[in-house]
Amino acid sequence: STTSTFNQVDIFSFIMSGTSQNGFFDGANNTSRTSAQSTIANNTSNLFIGSYDNAVNTNFEGTIAEVIIYRTALNAMQRQIVE
């Protein structure tokens, strides 16, 4: 597992491509999983960033400086350029 240090800037990025999901922490692939869902629903549901749904005590405690959402999954080179 990876730990962030207080007052340190970290970059978290997530890629969903088909049923494959990968999470990156400061450029390193930190987690991978397969999901039964291959797309993000395009409907009127809320998108939560820094929280898991509206559940109690699941909010991110910190500051999110920037959020970028792309329509397609970035390849490794594109992700490095953005980070």
Side-chain angles (χ1 to χ4, degrees):
S1 99
T2 305
T3 305
S4 182
T5 305
F6 183 70
N7 281 338
Q8 175 180 322
V9 175
D10 294 302
I11 297 174
F12 298 93
S13 59
F14 300 91
I15 296 175
M16 181 175 173
S17 180
T19 58
S20 175
Q21 298 175 354
N22 293 289
F24 296 84
F25 181 83
D26 289 336
N29 190 340
N30 192 31
T31 184
S32 297
R33 74 178 207 159
T34 301
S35 172
Q37 184 175 353
S38 63
T39 60
I40 298 173
N42 183 13
N43 57 28
T44 59
S45 298
N46 293 326
L47 173 65
F48 293 93
I49 298 174
S51 174
Y52 179 73
D53 206 353
N54 260 342
V56 178
N57 297 325
T58 60
N59 295 326
F60 171 74
E61 294 183 24
T63 303
I64 299 174
E66 182 176 27
V67 174
I68 304 171
I69 300 174
Y70 291 94
R71 187 179 266 313
T72 59
L74 302 181
N75 63 37
M77 181 64 74
Q78 292 167 325
R79 188 181 49 75
Q80 286 179 339
I81 291 169
V82 171
E83 290 182 0

